[in-house]
Structure formats: C-alpha cells, structure tokens
Amino acid sequence: MSTTPLRLPAQPNTADALNPGGIRVAGIRMIPVAGGKYKVWTKRLGSGPVKVLLLHGGPGFSHDYLEAMESFLPQAGIEMYYYDQLGVGNSDIPDDSALWTLHRFMEEVEEVRRGLGLDRFVLFGHSWGGILAMEYALNYQQHLRGLVISNMTAGTQAYLRRTAALKKQLLPPERLAKFNAMEASKDYANPEYTRIVMQDLYPQMLCRIKPWPEPVNRAFRLANQKIYNQMQGKSEFEVTGNLKDWERWDRLHEIKVKALTIGATHDEMDPADMRKMATLMANATPAICPNGSHMDMWDDQAIYFQHLLAFLGSV
C-alpha cells in the first residue's frame, strides 16, 4: 500500500447552522420552516445564472415525479432546486392538521427562498405547485425573475368543470353512471372506484405513458394522503377540502413578472384556461403540449422542455 498521503479536494469555506462543518452533501440542505419548528429537504443540481425553484404537486406528493427536469435543466446551464414541501418525502412529516393550509405553505416557500439565499429567481409550480406559485407571486413578486405555471388553472371551479367534462368524455355511459353514484354516496374506498380512476381515467388524463415512469409511481407510493384529503378531498374529481373556494382569476393582472403558462391537450386542466391565464397577466405567454396530459414533462417531453428551456433562456 502506498504511503503517499491522499490529497483531498479543498473543502468549501461556507458553513452554516445546518451544516457547521461545511461538509459536502451533494447539494442537499435542510431548511427551517414553520417558524423554525420543522425542516424541509432541498437539493441543488447544476449551476448557472438562472436559478429555478421547483414546486411539486399534490398537495401531499413529493418532488420525485419532477426528476424529468434533471435530464434537461442542468445541461442547459440552469441551476435547479428540488424541494419537498413539509409533510412529504425527505422533509419532516409532522402530524398536525393546522399546518395544511394554503397560506402556511405559501409562507413556507418564502422561508425556503430565504434559507437558500435565492433572489431574482424563477419560480416553477406544477399542479398544486402552480397554486403555490401564483400565491407566492401575488405576495412576494419582488423576488422573482420569472414565473412558470405548469398544468394548473387559476380557480377551483374551472378545474371542476374540466374534470366533469373529462369523465363524460373518457368513460362509457354505464361506467360513468356507476362512478358518479359512488361519488354521490362518498364511496371512495370502493375497489371499483379506485379501479376506474387508476385504469380508465388517470392513464388518459394524468400520464399517458404505459407503464408509468418509475418516478411517477414513486411519487404516488410516497404520497401523504392526510394532507391531500384535508386540502383537496377524497377524490380528484371533487374538491371538498380547504381549497374548495380558491379562485385567483380576478387577481392575475397583478402578476407583472415575465411568466409562462404550460398546459396540454389531454390534461385535467383545460388548455383553454392556460391560454386565458396568459392573456390576463401583463407579461405572460402560453404553451400547449399537443400530445401531453397532466404530466406532460413525461408524456410530451420534447415539446414540454422545448417551451420551458426557451422561456428560461429568455429571462
């Protein structure tokens, strides 16, 4: 064995209360939130002048299904940050129903921004993350360089109109009647209800790749149903949780930062709504993925990232 001492790479000079030794942890940092009571997991990939914070969907899902991003953004010289919201994935998972509100999650995004030292950054929000992104932009717009709202309409009622139309479009009459009857009786635990959702509806409107990519399956497996049930409800096709009255159509004009709305032809969000949202913001453009659904970063990937990278390059 050689007696020549190993030459280790120089350690970073920066250290903080979360990482007092300055030890390298592959871009991972735990950020205090909820007034410092809990911590959420973040991870940085890539480096560059454009920095993007990713807000995943749910509520109650984790960042995992957004892993498609790392095949495109870092290679384009974009610095991207994953972040598991409180209650999911690698973050703390407290059992406290008082935490699962839109306002607290929005303030959590600001805590994460401060913890990561981001300013003049791009905020990306997909699905429920799009709700968070709109809320953040309406309250902390001064920190944003750009805004991406992916696959999320600006109000619950528009979402419900679209999902009601999709049920009629995608289900044969007999199955639709059975599905509606189970929803009317709140029989969400019925195996037949789950079968229709997972076999007949989701493969056409949520992700059209067969089989689903592993990160998508992983995100479903790791989902925190308590958060989803409290904020969304028991069903994807009804909103009975605390988001049921959420509407922001009349405030979109307040968002002045450069923005992109991305939708898809087969999405559970109406692509017409995604176009309309862009017209209501002062500096926004829409993009529609013709072959995609709710997870068009997977099932219409080339078109999705063509639009997203062009926008990020423009900011």
Side-chain angles (χ1 to χ4, degrees):
M1 180 181 293
S2 172
T3 58
T4 304
L6 291 172
R7 294 195 174 188
L8 297 175
Q11 292 299 304
N13 294 323
T14 57
D16 55 36
L18 301 178
N19 185 13
I23 297 171
R24 294 182 179 184
V25 287
I28 294 171
R29 292 185 65 190
M30 301 297 290
I31 305 296
V33 299
K37 191 174 181 180
Y38 305 106
K39 292 179 181 177
V40 295
W41 175 93
T42 69
K43 182 174 182 177
R44 176 182 57 80
L45 287 88
S47 61
V50 178
K51 304 178 192 306
V52 182
L53 177 63
L54 303 173
L55 304 181
H56 60 72
F61 281 66
S62 57
H63 81 283
D64 297 74
Y65 75 92
L66 291 178
E67 285 179 3
M69 298 286 174
E70 63 192 69
S71 296
F72 294 88
L73 271 62
Q75 293 83 341
I78 294 163
E79 190 169 306
M80 56 174 271
Y81 291 82
Y82 288 135
Y83 144 47
D84 277 340
Q85 296 155 26
L86 186 65
V88 302
N90 302 303
S91 295
D92 288 346
I93 305 180
D95 187 12
D96 182 355
S97 60
L99 293 167
W100 317 133
T101 68
L102 175 55
H103 179 76
R104 195 212 57 80
F105 273 115
M106 185 270 295
E107 292 296 339
E108 177 180 300
V109 176
E110 173 60 7
E111 290 176 302
V112 169
R113 181 201 70 79
R114 292 197 306 265
L116 292 173
L118 297 176
D119 206 15
R120 302 294 298 162
F121 70 106
V122 176
L123 187 61
F124 168 98
H126 175 260
S127 192
W128 146 250
I131 294 178
L132 272 184
M134 284 182 254
E135 292 295 309
Y136 186 88
L138 289 169
N139 288 275
Y140 293 104
Q141 192 165 182
Q142 68 271 22
H143 299 300
L144 294 180
R145 181 174 181 173
L147 176 69
V148 180
I149 302 169
S150 179
N151 307 88
M152 187 64 229
T153 188
T156 299
Q157 292 307 309
Y159 164 73
L160 290 174
R161 284 193 296 271
R162 172 66 169 178
T163 55
L166 284 175
K167 283 192 297 183
K168 293 179 181 178
Q169 174 186 327
L170 299 175
L171 294 178
E174 182 179 334
R175 210 168 305 166
L176 175 63
K178 183 182 296 185
F179 189 76
N180 286 339
M182 287 185 287
E183 286 199 322
S185 62
K186 312 299 181 188
D187 192 12
Y188 305 117
N190 190 317
E192 180 66 7
Y193 184 87
T194 302
R195 190 196 70 76
I196 292 174
V197 170
M198 297 303 297
Q199 295 183 20
D200 297 330
L201 294 171
Y202 278 3
Q204 299 187 75
M205 57 186 271
L206 203 75
C207 183
R208 294 165 65 84
I209 296 176
K210 298 179 182 179
W212 280 0
E214 189 276 333
V216 175
N217 282 321
R218 192 190 329 141
F220 269 81
R221 188 172 68 249
L222 297 174
N224 187 330
Q225 293 297 333
K226 288 183 179 179
I227 301 176
Y228 185 86
N229 290 346
Q230 182 170 321
M231 300 189 72
Q232 163 80 18
K234 296 281 189 178
S235 168
E236 187 85 0
F237 302 90
E238 296 180 333
V239 181
T240 57
N242 57 31
L243 292 174
K244 65 182 185 301
D245 297 321
W246 180 78
E247 299 290 336
R248 290 295 179 267
W249 289 102
D250 63 345
R251 294 194 62 193
L252 289 179
H253 69 277
E254 299 175 34
I255 299 176
K256 311 296 185 184
V257 68
K258 191 167 188 177
L260 172 69
T261 63
I262 304 182
T265 300
H266 306 284
D267 191 6
E268 60 181 342
M269 306 298 164
D270 193 333
D273 285 344
M274 304 306 298
R275 295 188 184 96
K276 179 181 176 181
M277 289 165 63
T279 68
L280 296 174
M281 291 185 278
N283 195 16
T285 55
I288 304 300
C289 298
N291 300 310
S293 63
H294 196 54
M295 294 190 177
D296 40 4
M297 71 284 295
W298 290 103
D299 58 17
D300 204 357
Q301 194 170 83
I303 299 298
Y304 185 92
F305 282 101
Q306 176 185 329
H307 289 301
L308 179 58
L309 293 175
F311 174 77
L312 295 176
S314 73
V315 300

